Amino acid sequence: MVTLKDIAQRAGVSSMTVSRVMNGNTKDVSKKTSQRIKKIAEEMGYVPNSSARALASSASRLIAALLSDYDEETTPLEDSYNSSFFGELSRQIQKEGYDLMLHYVKDYTSINYSLKSWNVAGAVFIGMFDENIKKIQKDNTIPLIFTDSYSSVRSITNVGIDDYQGGEMAAEYLLEHGHRNLAFIGPAAVSNGVIMHRLQGFCACLRDNGISIPPEHIIDSGAENMEQTLAKICRGDDPVTGIFTTSDFCASRVYAAAYQARLRIPDDLSVIGFDDVRISRYLTPPLTTIRQDIKRKADVVCQLLMKHIRNQDVPAENMVLGVELIERESVRNIQKKPGVELQR
Amino acid sequence: MVTLKDIAQRAGVSSMTVSRVMNGNTKDVSKKTSQRIKKIAEEMGYVPNSSARALASSASRLIAALLSDYDEETTPLEDSYNSSFFGELSRQIQKEGYDLMLHYVKDYTSINYSLKSWNVAGAVFIGMFDENIKKIQKDNTIPLIFTDSYSSVRSITNVGIDDYQGGEMAAEYLLEHGHRNLAFIGPAAVSNGVIMHRLQGFCACLRDNGISIPPEHIIDSGAENMEQTLAKICRGDDPVTGIFTTSDFCASRVYAAAYQARLRIPDDLSVIGFDDVRISRYLTPPLTTIRQDIKRKADVVCQLLMKHIRNQDVPAENMVLGVELIERESVRNIQKKPGVELQR
DNA sequence: TTGTAAGCGTTATCAA
DNA sequence: TTGATAACGCTTACAA
């Protein structure tokens, strides 16, 4: 391992001079020695020891990404939204010259450990942390960025999207296309702010148009028998013709259930997803969905993080990014009066 | 921040004693003081400083996961295989009491930095690193686990799957179902060992059965006009009826192109994927695919890593995991003589 | 512009 | 069973 000292000896200077050069404090060092030292460091293959740096300066160039890990069966990163977001975030953070650490966390203890152990410069929370936020907030002074949080704690920095409006847009679009008998499919977790707001926006818009969703049309995507449920509600006298799902992944499961139940999309059943994850455009038929700009979100999170790291006094802020409806081919127009048919 | 010293003062012992207790060297410390110190540490909310540990012991409980980052447009983790594998790996590694760092790497410099900067205990390589392996190997003494490498360097520890056999199985299955005119769709990267071996296995099995694939049926999945290509080769006198793709993601793109070209799967065109990623069973129709056990692979990688960390003298080994064909509904039986029809 | 000295929190080593 | 001391590689603060 090459250390500052090694370089210093070779260059005939003190290790402080080398340190300064390595940190780009070029104005403090004469151009000549600076050049010389850089060359030697290069030759010797010097790589700064981040642990030593962190220890000495009590500030690391390390960011922790915390993913809430609820389910033993699956991994948070199997959810395309999470992996896309985390993937973009990693790249952004690396571009800023920081390193990234991943932690799956279950309880407060593991969150605390993740934050303290490597004295990270900041942390990004992906997933549900609402229960612990107050405590986390209290116990830490480093910048903490939450995503998609609907915590009642006011003073947190959060980056989310307009879930409510997303729900509204889905409702509106389905209504415009003549659908009146609708259903909602998503995880049962009512406590989850994101899902709840999507559902609320959806229902509110319907209500404004004199339509309501019966409780049995709010379906738990975790249940085993989606096929049968679908078959039941989409057949008979007053069939459900449109479904709003909380995620594109969930939509793909609806596709599969519909296929098994011999329901054709969009002929028998229209579906709207959420997220606009990579795969959505490749589903059969391509999925109409409420898009959130994941790359942009990651970018905003990263910038916010850097701002807070550079200046600890920046006040907490809650950023809400917009969503947009991406029209593809999973919703059929069933207007009575002549309307625009979906093109193929 | 609570340090060993703080605890030591409170307990009226030296920090060495506390250190020993915190490291579970209970046999070196009297049971009584050990208990007492543990309690105090708990009360004070002590979290060990990993940087200091790493510096003092020149050995961290940190693993680096390196993902090769080729494409600016997309992120390695948008590939479902990568995110699944990485997700499982993270969990395993965390279970072993190690922390995980993610690095996207492009060139040798960034690889070197990732490995040296935090003096990690070991590293896992995900993706293509064949060009640099020799150099990486030479410059590092820590355990390095490669995945899916077909490097000619003999002395590396690698965990891969039987890509060749996967290709054979796909060919065999298509032949059994009466397909004679076949195509292959995958990334153009011929230098990529994984893809090449899948293709070779595929072709070899066909050749053994007197069938060959014309070059124009080996299609670059990166090209824009997959729809047209598909339309061209799947219509006419001697249409392609079966396609083998290098990944499930690629298969979903074939699905989409087929949909656009008004080719029905499996009626007009049969498709076999590779990986058996989560989404595959939810495609329409559910995808027949060559499955690799990603969770198991992550487990093997992790165990291997731990073994090498504990004992630096373990010889390099190349583990090859099996693959299996998962029969779903994307391949049609077009046998002339009466055969088994796929059930729906 | 450069160097000296102390210290970051921990562990290794040796002594008691 | 415990403690004193040095050391890990670097930065901070100050001195020259």
Side-chain angles (χ1 to χ4, degrees), chain A residues 1 47-52 54-55 60-62 69 71-78 83-84 86-88 90-91 94-95 99-105 112-113 116-119 249 252-253 255-256 259-260 262 278-279 281-286 295 329 344, chain B residues 1 47-52 54-55 60-62 69 71-78 83-84 86-88 90-91 94-95 99-105 112-113 116-119 249 252-253 255-256 259-260 262 278-279 281-286 295 329 344:
Chain A
M1 172 184 249
V47 177
N49 182 325
S50 296
S51 300
L55 187 59
S60 70
R61 286 184 83 79
L62 231 195
D69 191 13
D71 185 0
E72 272 293 319
E73 282 309 298
T74 177
T75 245
L77 288 180
E78 269 195 281
S83 55
S84 292
F86 178 72
E88 292 288 353
S90 314
R91 181 174 278 166
Q94 226 172 297
K95 256 187 200 141
D99 288 321
L100 220 217
M101 209 152 192
L102 173 67
H103 285 274
Y104 289 163
V105 294
N112 193 48
Y113 171 84
K116 301 271 173 72
S117 169
W118 287 98
N119 56 24
F249 176 68
S252 75
R253 298 206 38 218
Y255 271 50
Y259 177 76
Q260 287 172 338
R262 293 169 184 272
R278 195 85 181 293
I279 195 87
R281 78 197 64 177
Y282 300 126
L283 293 179
T284 316
K295 190 167 179 176
E329 303 176 31
R344 268 216 50 197
Chain B
M1 171 183 248
V47 177
N49 183 325
S50 297
S51 300
L55 186 58
S60 68
R61 287 184 83 79
L62 231 196
D69 191 14
D71 185 0
E72 273 292 319
E73 282 309 299
T74 179
T75 247
L77 288 180
E78 269 194 281
S83 54
S84 292
F86 178 71
E88 292 289 353
S90 313
R91 181 174 276 164
Q94 226 172 298
K95 256 188 200 139
D99 288 320
L100 218 218
M101 208 148 192
L102 172 69
H103 284 274
Y104 289 163
V105 294
N112 192 48
Y113 171 85
K116 301 271 174 72
S117 170
W118 288 98
N119 54 26
F249 176 68
S252 73
R253 298 204 40 216
Y255 270 50
Y259 176 76
Q260 288 172 336
R262 294 168 185 272
R278 194 85 179 295
I279 195 86
R281 76 196 64 178
Y282 299 126
L283 293 179
T284 315
K295 190 168 179 174
E329 304 176 30
R344 267 218 48 198

Side-chain angles (χ1 to χ4, degrees), chain B residues 156-296:
Chain B
I156 66 169
T157 294
N158 180 62
V159 178
I161 58 167
D162 197 337
D163 294 293
Y164 188 91
Q165 202 204 354
E168 286 182 323
M169 287 164 83
E172 201 175 329
Y173 186 82
L174 285 168
L175 290 174
E176 276 171 14
H177 286 71
H179 297 273
R180 293 293 175 269
N181 201 351
L182 302 166
F184 174 89
I185 300 189
V190 192
S191 62
N192 183 314
V194 168
I195 293 165
M196 219 180 63
H197 282 77
R198 290 176 191 178
L199 175 56
Q200 284 177 351
F202 187 66
C203 291
C205 176
L206 294 181
R207 203 182 315 114
D208 291 349
N209 288 274
I211 292 177
S212 68
I213 298 194
E216 67 270 23
H217 287 183
I218 294 181
I219 296 159
D220 176 10
S221 58
E224 288 291 305
N225 52 350
M226 195 191 287
E227 174 196 348
Q228 291 151 42
T229 311
L230 230 50
K232 200 167 71 188
I233 64 171
C234 298
R235 301 200 190 284
D237 290 345
D238 188 23
V240 164
T241 61
I243 291 184
F244 174 47
T245 63
T246 37
S247 71
D248 290 353
F249 176 68
C250 192
S252 73
R253 298 204 40 216
V254 172
Y255 270 50
Y259 176 76
Q260 288 172 336
R262 294 168 185 272
L263 258 12
R264 290 159 307 166
I265 297 172
D267 303 305
D268 302 323
L269 181 61
S270 294
V271 178
I272 292 191
F274 209 113
D275 288 342
D276 193 28
V277 131
R278 194 85 179 295
I279 195 86
S280 311
R281 76 196 64 178
Y282 299 126
L283 293 179
T284 315
L287 181 67
T288 294
T289 190
I290 308 296
R291 172 169 218 273
Q292 60 168 313
D293 190 337
I294 296 178
K295 190 168 179 174
R296 169 115 195 286

Side-chain angles (χ1 to χ4, degrees), chain B residues 116-135:
Chain B
K116 301 271 174 72
S117 170
W118 288 98
N119 54 26
V120 298
V124 179
F125 293 78
I126 306 172
M128 273 279 293
F129 291 91
D130 290 356
E131 303 162 30
N132 293 305
I133 283 187
K134 209 162 184 173
K135 211 168 173 190

Side-chain angles (χ1 to χ4, degrees), chain B residues 81 84-85 88-89 92 147 159-161 291-304 319-324:
Chain B
Y81 166 75
S84 292
F85 179 75
E88 292 289 353
L89 185 70
Q92 302 279 358
T147 59
V159 178
I161 58 167
R291 172 169 218 273
Q292 60 168 313
D293 190 337
I294 296 178
K295 190 168 179 174
R296 169 115 195 286
K297 198 170 177 182
D299 189 34
V300 167
V301 166
C302 185
Q303 291 312 319
L304 223 44
M319 304 263 303
V320 180
L321 305 182
V323 293
E324 117 194 67

Side-chain angles (χ1 to χ4, degrees), chain A residues 226-283:
Chain A
M226 195 190 289
E227 173 194 348
Q228 290 150 43
T229 311
L230 230 50
K232 200 167 69 189
I233 65 172
C234 298
R235 299 201 191 285
D237 289 346
D238 189 23
V240 164
T241 61
I243 291 185
F244 175 46
T245 63
T246 37
S247 71
D248 291 352
F249 176 68
C250 191
S252 75
R253 298 206 38 218
V254 172
Y255 271 50
Y259 177 76
Q260 287 172 338
R262 293 169 184 272
L263 257 12
R264 290 158 307 165
I265 297 172
D267 302 308
D268 302 322
L269 182 62
S270 293
V271 178
I272 292 191
F274 210 113
D275 288 343
D276 194 27
V277 130
R278 195 85 181 293
I279 195 87
S280 312
R281 78 197 64 177
Y282 300 126
L283 293 179

